[in-house]
Amino acid sequence: MPIKILTVDDSKTIRLIVAKAFKPFDCEVFEASNGVEGLAVAAKERPHVIILDLTMPVMDGYEALTKLKSDPDLKSIPVVMLTAESGRENVLRIAKQGVRDYLVKPFKEELIVERVGRIIDLKPKGLQPVKARRFDDALSILVVDDKPAIGDQVRAGLADTQWTVVARGQAGEALDYCHQTAPDAVLVSLTLPDDSAFSLFQALRGNARTKSVPVFAMCVKNAVEDQARAQQSGFTGVITKPIEFEELKGKVARALSLDTSYKYFQHRDGVLVLSLPVSFNGAVANEVSSHLRAKVAEAVDAGFGRVVFDVSALKSADILLIKLGLEVMQFCNELSLRLRMIGSPVVIQECRKYEETKDWSFASSFEDALTALNGREVPVAA
């Protein structure tokens, strides 16, 4: 059901501006030209928010607001007041009546969207049900840093992804960009002049288009106070310079809940195959572990009863591999899945040095692992 917004103003121009401002969103805008009409429309349509002018003929905004707040069925509707008078007396008077916010005329379209967006959750028109995005989907990353080299570094560091990097040198330029296109994630340097990184963060959070966009703070590793301040301010996370790009990719992926499981889990010949990359490290182990239970359960639900755990790409066996291997075995045992491992000679040899893995049995290829899972004898990999 679309959001209902009621604009009550004797100026047709203002009503048109309001209707145009919310046109990109999944909203239905109702109009009334004075307080009497406004109350009638409010009673009939029960809008989610009312934008109410203060000065109108027949019944002004103050009287309409008073009647609205005294009606048990309507008093909970949030009201944003419009006034051409910015005097303290008027502001205090309407504030006492419980308005949620107010704007002084004239105002820009994006400002009324921002104020209403603070009250209700505005969604872009035509937004389809959210589909889980993958790590290899196209994303847009906005970098805000007054040092052009940082934008170039981020662009080069993410060159192996489908992510597009746009760089802006000032907070104002970044806001202008976000008014046109909401990026998927923003990286902001805390060294922008005049504390503008924090001002930009607050502006992004106050804008309906960008309030849910992950915003990361960038600073050098030893800027401990800046990092603490960014975290206290609500930044999604901190990216330290020099930037570790695998870490950056992981943080963005987690903030956007990107699906990375396809990098490790595949279905092949009726078997769930879990393959570890040559770059296996703690971050990869955590990523695999986070997907493990869901992917194994999904495989069982799809009728798969066998699992191949391929660690043959690894150059050595360490405690990370051992912990993950034991976790895989535990899940497979819990669900009565048949498991076979594939290892390289080096990994097999090193696993025999550990008490926990000395009895692990490896195949030397996927074909041998499949044969073993089918109950036929195959040579054990050396």
Side-chain angles (χ1 to χ4, degrees):
M1 183 178 70
I3 295 292
K4 293 183 178 180
I5 297 175
L6 170 59
T7 172
V8 187
D9 201 303
D10 61 320
S11 168
K12 188 174 181 180
T13 301
I14 294 294
R15 299 202 303 269
L16 287 173
I17 290 173
V18 172
K20 184 183 174 188
F22 292 100
K23 196 171 182 179
F25 299 95
D26 188 18
C27 296
E28 191 173 3
V29 178
F30 298 88
E31 298 182 19
S33 60
N34 58 62
V36 174
E37 290 181 10
L39 289 172
V41 176
K44 179 182 178 183
E45 300 295 341
R46 303 299 174 92
H48 295 84
V49 65
I50 298 175
I51 301 169
L52 182 61
D53 186 29
L54 185 60
T55 306
M56 295 181 291
V58 184
M59 179 187 288
D60 65 18
Y62 183 77
E63 185 179 355
L65 180 65
T66 303
K67 290 183 179 298
L68 189 81
K69 292 302 178 184
S70 62
D71 187 325
D73 294 330
L74 304 178
K75 66 180 183 182
S76 62
I77 299 174
V79 175
V80 176
M81 210 77 187
L82 299 182
T83 175
E85 304 167 63
S86 57
R88 177 180 173 79
E89 183 180 340
N90 271 324
V91 173
L92 291 175
R93 191 167 63 136
I94 60 177
K96 289 178 180 176
Q97 290 294 320
V99 297
R100 291 288 294 273
D101 213 330
Y102 75 97
L103 272 177
V104 177
K105 297 179 183 178
F107 56 84
K108 293 184 178 179
E109 292 176 17
E110 53 264 30
L111 196 55
I112 189 69
V113 170
E114 177 194 334
R115 297 297 172 85
V116 171
R118 293 177 182 176
I119 300 170
I120 54 178
D121 188 16
L122 294 169
K123 292 183 172 58
K125 189 172 289 183
L127 188 66
Q128 299 298 316
V130 177
K131 177 186 174 185
R133 291 189 292 179
R134 292 176 26 142
F135 183 81
D136 56 350
D137 283 347
L139 300 177
S140 61
I141 309 295
L142 173 62
V143 176
V144 190
D145 200 308
D146 53 354
K147 302 170 189 64
I150 297 299
D152 293 338
Q153 285 179 14
V154 175
R155 195 173 287 111
L158 300 181
D160 61 339
T161 70
Q162 297 297 314
W163 303 359
T164 301
V165 176
V166 175
R168 293 292 184 269
Q170 299 177 13
E173 295 175 350
L175 276 179
D176 289 342
Y177 176 82
C178 291
H179 283 150
Q180 301 298 321
T181 306
D184 292 297
V186 181
L187 314 181
V188 184
S189 173
L190 295 183
T191 58
L192 289 177
D194 302 324
D195 249 6
S196 56
F198 294 91
S199 303
L200 173 60
F201 174 74
Q202 293 300 328
L204 293 173
R205 284 291 173 265
N207 187 300
R209 288 177 180 269
T210 55
K211 66 180 182 181
S212 301
V213 173
V215 182
F216 294 91
M218 291 191 295
C219 61
V220 295
K221 289 183 178 179
N222 60 358
V224 179
E225 291 184 4
D226 285 346
Q227 293 180 34
R229 186 181 171 201
Q231 290 167 343
Q232 290 170 359
S233 299
F235 278 79
T236 306
V238 174
I239 306 296
T240 56
K241 301 175 184 176
I243 298 173
E244 296 288 343
F245 286 98
E246 290 307 314
E247 180 186 9
L248 169 61
K249 293 172 192 173
K251 288 185 175 182
V252 172
R254 284 192 292 277
L256 294 173
S257 299
L258 301 179
D259 181 9
T260 57
S261 65
Y262 67 93
K263 294 193 291 184
Y264 313 109
F265 295 88
Q266 298 91 31
H267 292 169
R268 180 180 173 188
D269 297 334
V271 175
L272 174 65
V273 181
L274 166 55
S275 304
L276 298 185
V278 65
S279 57
F280 180 68
N281 55 29
V284 173
N286 289 334
E287 204 167 60
V288 171
S289 183
S290 68
H291 292 299
L292 183 59
R293 182 176 291 275
K295 298 306 293 186
V296 171
E298 180 183 295
V300 172
D301 190 49
F304 291 80
R306 301 169 296 175
V307 176
V308 168
F309 185 22
D310 185 355
V311 299
S312 59
L314 274 59
K315 302 299 183 185
S316 64
D318 59 13
I319 192 64
L320 288 174
L321 174 62
I322 294 170
K323 289 175 64 177
L324 184 60
L326 293 173
E327 190 177 358
V328 172
M329 290 178 178
Q330 180 184 343
F331 283 149
C332 289
N333 287 335
E334 287 177 3
L335 296 172
S336 301
L337 295 172
R338 300 184 66 186
L339 171 69
R340 193 69 177 178
M341 297 180 69
I342 305 174
S344 64
V346 173
V347 170
I348 295 169
Q349 189 65 32
E350 292 193 3
C351 281
R352 287 173 179 158
K353 298 177 182 176
Y354 295 91
E355 183 66 25
E356 296 89 343
T357 59
K358 66 179 182 180
D359 296 328
W360 285 6
S361 178
F362 292 89
S364 57
S365 67
F366 176 78
E367 288 71 23
D368 282 352
L370 196 59
T371 299
L373 287 171
N374 289 332
R376 296 194 292 273
E377 290 289 335
V378 293
V380 176

